[in-house]
Amino acid sequence: DGGITQSPKYLFRKEGQNVTLSCEQNLNHDAMYWYRQDPGQGLRLIYYSQIVNDFQKGDIAEGYSVSREKKESFPLTVTSAQKNPTAFYLCASSSLAGVRTEAFFGQGTRLTVV
Amino acid sequence: QKEVEQNSGPLSVPEGAIASLNCTYSDRGSQSFFWYRQYSGKSPELIMSIYSNGDKEDGRFTAQLNKASQYVSLLIRDSQPSDSATYLCAVRSSGGSYIPTFGRGTSLIVHP
C-alpha cells in the first residue's frame, strides 16, 4: 500500500542531544514537508523540499536540519540548538503536478525532552 | 504572509444535527482548498478537496468554496459522536512553492 511512514512513533531526547526523525514515502511525490504541532496549536512549517538535493526553510527552521538525498526520504534532525523540541512532528508529501496536489501525512512522531 | 483563519471553537452540536465549519484565507491566488480531520493524538487525515467555486458533496460531507469572498466551509450532515475531532482547513497557491498553509483548526464536539 502506498503511504508515508514516520519512525519512531515516540522519541525521547536528553538535553544537548541530537535526534533524527525518519520519513519515507512510496507515493512518488516530489514534495515533502515537515511540520511541528504543539498542543492546541496549528501546524507550523519547519522545512520543505520539492526536489532531490534541495530544500527550503519554513517558518521555524532554527534548531532543525534536513536532507533530501532520495526522492522517497526526508529525515529531520532536531539539534541541541532547538531549545524547546517537545512537540508532535508531522511529515507530509504531495504531488506538484496536475490538479490533485493534496498533502498526505505520516502517523507522526511525538518527541519528548527528558 | 499568507494566512488561514478558523474559529478555534469548540463547536458543540447534538447528534444528528448539521455541523458548519468555516475558514477564511488571505491569499487571493489560492487555487486548492482542503479539509483535514485530526483526532486527538493522531495525524491529520484528508477528508475533502475543492478546487472551484460552489459545492462539492461526498457522503455526509459538503465543502463550499467562494473565492470572491475568500472563504471555504465544511458542512457535516447527520453529525455523529465519531465526528468529534479537530478540523483543519488548508489552502494552497497555484504558483511558487505550492506549500499548503494550515489554519489552527476548529474543535468539533458532537454530543449524544
Side-chain angles (χ1 to χ4, degrees):
Chain A
D1 290 334
I4 303 172
T5 301
Q6 287 187 244
S7 62
K9 188 174 181 180
Y10 298 97
L11 186 58
F12 298 91
R13 192 194 94 166
K14 295 180 180 179
E15 295 284 348
Q17 191 178 46
N18 293 354
V19 292
T20 297
L21 285 59
S22 172
C23 179
E24 303 276 337
Q25 56 99 359
N26 60 4
L27 300 168
N28 199 34
H29 284 165
D30 292 302
M32 297 187 73
Y33 315 87
W34 275 104
Y35 291 92
R36 168 179 171 146
Q37 187 175 40
D38 293 282
Q41 302 295 314
L43 303 180
R44 292 187 290 169
L45 183 66
I46 305 173
Y47 270 98
Y48 67 97
S49 169
Q50 294 180 291
I51 193 171
V52 174
N53 292 322
D54 187 54
F55 46 83
Q56 305 296 326
K57 292 182 179 179
D59 301 318
I60 56 165
E62 185 175 352
Y64 301 98
S65 66
V66 294
S67 64
R68 187 89 185 273
E69 297 178 0
K70 300 185 302 181
K71 186 176 183 179
E72 301 80 15
S73 178
F74 192 40
L76 173 74
T77 297
V78 184
T79 75
S80 57
Q82 172 49 241
K83 297 307 179 187
N84 185 23
T86 295
F88 190 40
Y89 290 86
L90 290 159
C91 179
S93 70
S94 71
S95 172
L96 294 176
V99 178
R100 300 191 65 85
T101 55
E102 303 97 331
F104 295 94
F105 287 86
Q107 71 269 41
T109 293
R110 194 165 299 279
L111 175 62
T112 303
V113 174
V114 295
Chain B
Q1 182 80 359
K2 301 174 183 177
E3 294 182 345
V4 178
E5 299 288 342
Q6 295 182 255
N7 187 323
S8 61
L11 173 66
S12 183
V13 300
E15 184 174 357
I18 296 175
S20 178
L21 305 164
N22 300 313
C23 170
T24 60
Y25 59 94
S26 62
D27 181 11
R28 284 194 171 275
S30 299
Q31 295 292 321
S32 307
F33 307 86
F34 312 101
W35 283 99
Y36 290 82
R37 178 177 61 201
Q38 186 176 25
Y39 292 113
S40 180
K42 303 295 185 181
S43 64
E45 172 193 12
L46 179 72
I47 54 173
M48 289 288 286
S49 307
I50 187 166
Y51 303 95
S52 56
N53 278 330
D55 295 358
K56 178 182 177 182
E57 187 174 319
D58 184 1
R60 297 187 295 113
F61 298 100
T62 299
Q64 299 175 318
L65 175 61
N66 184 323
K67 289 185 179 181
S69 300
Q70 293 176 246
Y71 84 80
V72 56
S73 63
L74 179 70
L75 302 178
I76 306 175
R77 291 182 299 282
D78 188 24
S79 295
Q80 301 297 309
S82 60
D83 294 325
S84 299
T86 296
Y87 289 81
L88 302 171
C89 173
V91 173
R92 166 175 264 157
S93 297
S94 60
S97 62
Y98 285 86
I99 302 169
T101 301
F102 286 83
R104 291 193 169 197
T106 298
S107 174
L108 173 66
I109 299 172
V110 181
H111 53 87

